[in-house]
Amino acid sequence: LPGGKGLFAKKAIKKGDTIFVERPLVSSQFLWNSQYKYKACEYCLSALETAEDNARRLSGNPGLSLPHTELCKVRPELHQACPQCQVMYCSNECRQAAADQYHRALCLGHSQEDPDHPVNKLKDAWRSMHYPPETSSIMLMARMVATVKQAQDKCCWQKLFFQFCSRAANEEEEIAHKLLGEKFQGHLTLLQTLFTTALYDDHLNMWFTPEGFRSLFALVGTNGQGIGTSSLSQWVHACDALELTSQQREQLDSFIDQLYKDIEKETGDFLNCEGSGLFLLQSSCNHSCIPKAEASFPNNNFLLHLSALSDISPGEEICISYLDCCQRDRSCHSRQKILRENYLFVCSCPKCVSQMDELDLTSSSDDMEEEITDEKVTQWPEALDLPVEKDLVT
């Protein structure tokens, strides 16, 4: 098992079944995503714009009106701001949950917009080193530290974080190099200095040493699971489910097609509120180029649903794909290159084994392909009291 872990079915699972629903230990919106005015709940990452406001901003058309606005599930009247720093949450429950877990240790109060505040300096440094598309975030690490700082049982949380796959020192360097580019060593040292200034805690001093910081960085870089939410996407799915006459359906589909064309022209591909989270169960799933399961976020927040793509027998390993659909359709050589560079292992799934002879037949198009960054798309364990369907997996 590449990561030293694996998830196996305890009983038969049918295609389409939800294997488990999992909440992340910590999650965070990407800093560039937030900078570009994608508004997400600071706790659960659910989109805060209504579908209509979202469509207006993305299409650059402030006068746009959506039909069937009653299908939008965003409720602005429930949104709450932190009374000290004014960051926004989708509900009072999320505001309170964030405050109880990590936000009290990270709240900047009136310094929220102060560029000289140590936390803001850390954010600015990260943005200057890691341009979009982001695949990780320094703020996941900050929330890990803040969670342990606030916790009554600090050891419990540290043990949870240490359950994620760890790496050897040379592998950690490779991961840092991949995330930060050619000058990564200087970048990593600067990030460590700023991270220490902003967040140092005696109880966690091992995370602030060069080795400990690099280890934390690699943990987040390889275990972070992308999370995407969109009020517009949710509205479109709700429209698809409407019972309409053929003429009404044609009109609505035509409106939505034109809207997406307008958005593509104005905004491009970046449609969602995007971030990442650390999911203990999901991170235990190994990769296969013919995955048995996939993660999705149907609640339009950080709750990850792992669903079966095919029937899974008792005792069978539940594998997911670390590659997106397009990457999985590429040659064995291409897939192996992406996995080796981003996850530091050689895939030996049945598909790769059967295509192993292709590795010597690298096409010129493969060699010309641009560098692919980690886009491993998009729980409380028992001790933290979130129900997980434990009878299905081990």
Side-chain angles (χ1 to χ4, degrees), residues 47-48 50 69-79 90-91:
L48 295 180
T50 64
T69 51
E70 74 281 357
L71 298 176
C72 177
K73 294 183 178 178
V74 176
R75 294 287 171 264
E77 69 274 10
L78 299 178
H79 295 175
C90 68
S91 64

Side-chain angles (χ1 to χ4, degrees), residues 8 11 32 55 62 64 102 138 140 142 156 163 240 285 308 314 316 326 339 345 352 378 386:
F8 296 83
K11 66 180 188 182
W32 275 112
L64 179 72
Y102 58 78
I138 199 76
L140 267 188
C156 170
Q163 284 182 43
D240 289 343
C285 293
E316 193 174 354
C326 294
L339 292 166
F345 72 88
C352 284
T378 119
L386 180 92

Side-chain angles (χ1 to χ4, degrees), residues 211-225:
E211 299 76 18
F213 180 78
R214 187 182 61 201
S215 181
L216 202 59
F217 193 83
L219 183 155
V220 165
T222 52
N223 291 285
Q225 162 71 35

Side-chain angles (χ1 to χ4, degrees), residues 44-229:
C44 77
L45 298 184
S46 63
L48 295 180
E49 287 179 304
T50 64
E52 189 167 79
D53 286 342
N54 191 216
R56 286 172 174 174
R57 181 172 59 81
L58 293 175
S59 66
N61 180 1
L64 179 72
S65 294
L66 292 189
H68 304 289
T69 51
E70 74 281 357
L71 298 176
C72 177
K73 294 183 178 178
V74 176
R75 294 287 171 264
E77 69 274 10
L78 299 178
H79 295 175
Q80 295 254 332
C82 167
Q84 279 76 43
C85 69
Q86 304 304 310
V87 297
M88 291 299 296
Y89 298 93
C90 68
S91 64
N92 188 52
E93 289 78 13
C94 277
R95 185 187 65 78
Q96 195 60 55
D100 290 346
Q101 185 187 333
Y102 58 78
H103 185 68
R104 285 199 299 272
L106 286 176
C107 183
L108 303 192
H110 296 304
S111 301
Q112 181 69 12
E113 304 299 327
D114 178 4
D116 292 325
H117 190 284
V119 171
N120 287 332
K121 281 188 170 181
L122 178 66
K123 289 179 178 181
D124 287 342
W126 176 260
R127 278 191 291 260
S128 71
M129 295 172 191
H130 198 308
Y131 292 106
E134 288 171 273
T135 53
S136 186
S137 177
I138 199 76
M139 294 313 292
L140 267 188
M141 296 163 63
R143 288 186 180 182
M144 289 168 75
V145 168
T147 294
V148 178
K149 274 187 179 186
Q150 283 192 207
Q152 288 188 312
D153 188 346
K154 298 182 189 300
C155 291
C156 170
W157 275 100
Q158 284 176 277
K159 283 176 186 171
L160 289 173
F161 289 135
F162 285 135
Q163 284 182 43
F164 289 94
C165 169
S166 56
R167 300 281 178 175
N170 63 322
E171 291 181 323
E172 289 169 356
E173 290 216 2
E174 279 193 58
I175 292 160
H177 189 281
K178 186 71 187 173
L179 284 175
L180 292 177
E182 293 301 320
K183 299 175 181 176
F184 83 99
Q185 194 61 63
H187 284 169
L188 209 57
T189 303
L190 174 59
L191 277 177
Q192 182 210 331
T193 302
L194 293 170
F195 191 75
T196 303
T197 303
L199 299 161
Y200 183 78
D201 186 87
D202 277 338
H203 193 82
L204 293 169
N205 63 334
M206 68 287 195
W207 280 356
F208 295 95
T209 65
E211 299 76 18
F213 180 78
R214 187 182 61 201
S215 181
L216 202 59
F217 193 83
L219 183 155
V220 165
T222 52
N223 291 285
Q225 162 71 35
I227 301 168
T229 63

